[in-house]
Amino acid sequence: MQHERHDNTQLRNQNEKLRMENMRYRDALSSSSCPSCGGPTALGEMSCEEHQLRMENSRLREEIDRMAAIAAKYVGKPVLNYSVVSPPVTPRSVELGNFGGELYGAGDPLRPTGGSIVDHIGKQIVVELAVAAMEELMQMAQMGDPLWISGTGNNTCVLNEEEYFRTYPGGIGPKPLGFRSEASRETAVVTMNHVNLVEILMDVNQWASVFSGIVSRATTLEVLSTGVAGNYNGALQVMSAKFHVLSPVVPTRDTYFVRYCKHHMDGTWAVVDISLHNSRFCSVLSCRRRPSGCLIQEMPNGYSKVTWIEHVDVDDRIVPNLYKPLVSSGLAFGAKRWLFTLNRQCERLASAMATNLSPDIASSAVITSIEGKRSILKLAERMVVSFCGGVSASTAHTWTTLSGSRADDVRVMTRKSIDDSGRPPGIVLSAATSFWLPVPPKRVFDFIRDEQFRNEWDILSNGGVIQEMAHISNGRETGNCVSILRVNTVGGNQNNMLILQECCTDPTGSYVIYAPVDVVAMNLVLAGGDPDYVPILPSGFCILPDGSNGHGNGLGEDGPGGSLLTVAFQILVDSSPNAKLSLGSVATVNNLINCTVDRIKASVAGDNP
């Protein structure tokens, strides 16, 4: 409290100085005379120097008022404690046999129980930690050698740990025993203005959706400040998140942190995360976030220059050997991964907001309106988010390895969908496996996404001819697109199901995600109807570089690097009110995924394409 009283005294003193300065300006204006005629000066004829001084005075006053408003939030007022997401639903008991189970809509596993994390750590400590983290982030984004030294890859830099701890001896303390430091920095120009970027980062739902390939789950636990002046300047919130690789074998990185947003005097926006530590909440967490985040600089063309920093201490000793090179390279969780994902999502959003139909869309004659295009893209976005959220190896997902499986272990999980308009009701069986292919990721991606080769791996197409009915490009890469596919059976008959598919790629990873959609439902969406009520069960592929190039360039056409491929299926096995899981259903899904893996290995690695 003594420190807070000192701060308030300083603010009052500065306000008093400004008041006296205003009085001096007023007296000077009232007694001023025209240098030409000696008469009194009109108000509109003050000198340029005086005008600049008054503008600077006004700016300083606004800055002090803003600081006072933020300080008031931390002094003598209770901390706001509410969630941005929906209230937790009471879990219902569901019998799912001997396989791991999850109930859609159950309470959030990231939300701590037994009180506020800020109450246990201390409100003032959280504020001071956030302010110090912001200062460190700003410095680390601009400093070079000796803090950052040149890496082995193109335009990469590596953090000098010894120099870091010498420069920043405080922070969240030394690295825990058995943990490994992971730090990276990247800069790029993205096709989005700074206002929208800040909103995405500060809105937990948007953040988790845009970065669904990295963020498995995220929750805002407490909001300490919503910012001032109608924007996020000064916003401060406590969050929890699970960061993942799209594979059932790689454990998630779980962390609690405070996120702080600030608009700096030079016009730069910055958003920083810093982990919160308390034995009650954080003793079992395997990841600690040192100051991490991004600087956003507005550009004249409406784009933004973003500098991203990721700096964590992590215990990754239980990461499977197959994925350790990828994780160590930074392509799984590093700044390059975040920034390439952001850039691709900005391109996707620009495509969705376009007010005209591009030639590739108009030529299909299936999508005939802007509303229809946006509804399809919205449905595809939900499909991708659903797929990404259902593949990771988080504690919320209890995967069971099937006994008798081959070297490529197939893991299964059952879920019961109840009162969820976006998923069909009943028991959903998920199956996934991850394995290595001795070919570059781009070649695997091009093979899987090409409808001409689909019947070589898609058993459910029954050898039918795949026809692309509509195509929406949503990025500069030719592989970034949303498609509507139809399966024409061998006899020429057309069934009543279509396939919605999204393909996306960047230098750190690629996805091919698809879901069957009823023709009637698809027509409603194409007419601009609400896609949120269309039930979908996405399946698909995640294609990642194997990390064999160290801090290399990610995806490539050629070269020594191989691919890490995850195959995941979701199938509704019972939609009856008293749904139960049968062993026959498990065997069917196991056979489906094994056959798909065998076909892909034979086609891609066997040089058939």
Side-chain angles (χ1 to χ4, degrees):
M1 291 300 297
Q2 183 176 0
H3 178 69
E4 294 166 352
R5 284 195 295 269
H6 176 70
D7 289 344
N8 285 334
T9 300
Q10 284 187 322
L11 289 171
R12 283 195 295 270
N13 290 339
Q14 291 182 58
N15 278 322
E16 181 63 23
K17 288 181 180 180
L18 288 172
R19 189 179 66 82
M20 296 300 295
E21 193 174 359
N22 275 327
M23 293 179 62
R24 183 173 63 83
Y25 286 149
R26 191 178 298 113
D27 292 341
L29 284 173
S30 61
S31 59
S32 63
S33 59
C34 175
S36 300
C37 65
T41 305
L43 289 178
E45 299 174 352
M46 71 177 67
S47 69
C48 179
E49 181 181 359
E50 289 172 342
H51 180 67
Q52 291 295 329
L53 287 172
R54 292 191 62 169
M55 290 179 62
E56 178 68 10
N57 182 43
S58 177
R59 186 190 62 77
L60 289 171
R61 187 191 304 111
E62 290 176 358
E63 177 69 12
I64 291 207
D65 290 344
R66 185 184 66 82
M67 292 171 60
I70 294 176
K73 294 179 180 291
Y74 307 138
V75 181
K77 290 188 178 183
V79 177
L80 296 174
N81 187 0
Y82 64 90
S83 171
V84 176
V85 297
S86 302
V89 179
T90 304
R92 285 165 280 180
S93 177
V94 181
E95 179 60 41
L96 296 176
N98 296 323
F99 301 98
E102 178 187 355
L103 179 66
Y104 284 123
D108 193 337
L110 291 175
R111 184 177 299 283
T113 57
S116 161
I117 189 171
V118 174
D119 290 342
H120 287 272
I121 296 177
K123 180 170 43 178
Q124 187 62 31
I125 293 177
V126 172
V127 174
E128 292 175 356
L129 191 64
V131 172
M134 177 63 72
E135 182 178 357
E136 180 176 320
L137 180 78
M138 295 295 294
Q139 294 174 358
M140 290 188 65
Q142 301 170 31
M143 295 173 69
D145 189 69
L147 183 65
W148 295 97
I149 55 180
S150 299
T152 56
N154 294 334
N155 300 320
T156 62
C157 52
V158 179
L159 183 68
N160 183 337
E161 285 192 49
E162 183 178 343
E163 181 67 22
Y164 172 79
F165 284 110
R166 183 163 49 246
T167 307
Y168 305 104
I172 59 177
K175 181 172 55 178
L177 183 65
F179 279 52
R180 178 180 64 87
S181 288
E182 188 176 289
S184 54
R185 182 178 69 179
E186 295 289 337
T187 300
V189 175
V190 300
T191 56
M192 182 177 288
N193 64 56
H194 64 287
V195 175
N196 291 335
L197 285 177
V198 170
E199 183 177 353
I200 286 173
L201 296 171
M202 298 306 296
D203 183 317
V204 68
N205 294 323
Q206 292 191 57
W207 179 61
S209 177
V210 168
F211 296 101
S212 59
I214 308 173
V215 181
S216 174
R217 297 194 178 198
T219 304
T220 297
L221 301 173
E222 302 178 47
V223 176
L224 304 181
S225 170
T226 58
V228 295
N231 56 42
Y232 287 103
N233 185 25
L236 190 69
Q237 56 196 37
V238 178
M239 305 172 67
S240 61
K242 292 176 178 289
F243 303 115
H244 67 161
V245 173
L246 294 190
S247 170
V249 303
V250 181
T252 57
R253 295 181 173 185
D254 303 353
T255 181
Y256 290 99
F257 56 94
V258 60
R259 175 164 292 180
Y260 177 40
C261 177
K262 183 177 180 181
H263 189 201
H264 292 270
M265 299 297 295
D266 62 355
T268 300
W269 284 85
V271 178
V272 66
D273 297 342
I274 181 73
S275 277
L276 299 177
H277 292 277
N278 179 273
S279 60
R280 181 182 183 92
F281 298 102
C282 308
S283 59
V284 297
L285 298 184
S286 61
C287 179
R288 305 196 315 167
R289 286 178 74 73
R290 293 187 181 274
S292 302
C294 63
L295 273 63
I296 304 170
Q297 297 172 283
E298 181 182 6
M299 300 185 69
N301 59 0
Y303 294 173
S304 300
K305 181 181 179 182
V306 179
T307 299
W308 201 290
I309 291 178
E310 281 295 307
H311 190 191
V312 300
D313 297 333
V314 61
D315 182 3
D316 57 6
R317 286 172 290 184
I318 61 175
V319 173
N321 291 332
L322 183 65
Y323 277 85
K324 278 188 176 179
L326 171 70
V327 173
S328 299
S329 71
L331 292 175
F333 297 103
K336 186 186 295 288
R337 177 82 166 130
W338 287 90
L339 204 48
F340 274 116
T341 299
L342 176 63
N343 191 46
R344 175 169 49 79
Q345 292 285 41
C346 288
E347 292 180 0
R348 190 187 193 283
L349 182 60
S351 171
M353 299 305 295
T355 57
N356 64 316
L357 293 177
S358 59
D360 63 330
I361 301 175
S363 62
S364 69
V366 173
I367 303 174
T368 58
S369 67
I370 297 296
E371 293 75 15
K373 183 195 74 170
R374 290 178 178 170
S375 292
I376 287 293
L377 290 176
K378 186 177 179 182
L379 180 60
E381 179 185 26
R382 179 161 65 85
M383 176 182 68
V384 171
V385 172
S386 176
F387 175 84
C388 293
V391 177
S392 65
S394 71
T395 54
H397 297 163
T398 309
W399 293 94
T400 300
T401 303
L402 294 181
S403 59
S405 292
R406 308 164 314 167
D408 305 325
D409 288 337
V410 175
R411 288 167 167 78
V412 297
M413 174 177 55
T414 51
R415 310 181 189 184
K416 192 165 187 178
S417 177
I418 300 176
D419 301 329
D420 188 340
S421 60
R423 295 181 177 92
I427 290 181
V428 176
L429 180 60
S430 301
T433 188
S434 298
F435 57 97
W436 179 78
L437 284 172
V439 292
K442 187 178 186 305
R443 183 175 168 192
V444 180
F445 174 67
D446 288 341
F447 169 74
I448 293 176
R449 73 182 179 89
D450 193 334
E451 68 271 12
Q452 296 182 16
F453 297 122
R454 190 181 185 101
N455 55 19
E456 294 190 24
W457 60 261
D458 189 355
I459 299 173
L460 299 180
S461 65
N462 295 318
V465 178
I466 309 298
Q467 174 190 359
E468 186 180 58
M469 300 179 61
H471 179 99
I472 304 175
S473 298
N474 57 8
R476 284 176 289 187
E477 292 287 341
T478 56
N480 289 332
C481 64
V482 173
S483 303
I484 300 175
L485 308 176
R486 182 191 292 276
V487 180
N488 298 320
T489 60
V490 177
N493 297 322
Q494 295 180 345
N495 56 37
N496 62 347
M497 296 297 292
L498 300 174
I499 298 174
L500 178 66
Q501 177 173 285
E502 173 148 0
C503 304
C504 49
T505 184
D506 65 55
T508 63
S510 301
Y511 312 101
V512 178
I513 302 169
Y514 62 93
V517 180
D518 180 82
V519 170
V520 175
M522 183 67 80
N523 286 333
L524 290 174
V525 176
L526 289 171
D530 188 353
D532 290 342
Y533 296 97
V534 177
I536 54 173
L537 280 179
S539 299
F541 304 86
C542 171
I543 309 153
L544 301 173
D546 63 5
S548 60
N549 291 325
H551 289 80
N553 301 322
L555 304 182
E557 184 75 52
D558 302 304
S563 304
L564 297 173
L565 179 61
T566 294
V567 183
F569 291 148
Q570 291 190 91
I571 296 178
L572 181 68
V573 296
D574 194 339
S575 59
S576 63
N578 299 317
K580 291 184 179 298
L581 179 67
S582 67
L583 292 178
S585 300
V586 176
T588 299
V589 173
N590 183 38
N591 180 64
L592 174 64
I593 202 166
N594 281 328
C595 288
T596 303
V597 169
D598 289 342
R599 289 189 174 197
I600 290 176
K601 286 183 175 180
S603 298
V604 179
D607 294 331
N608 287 343

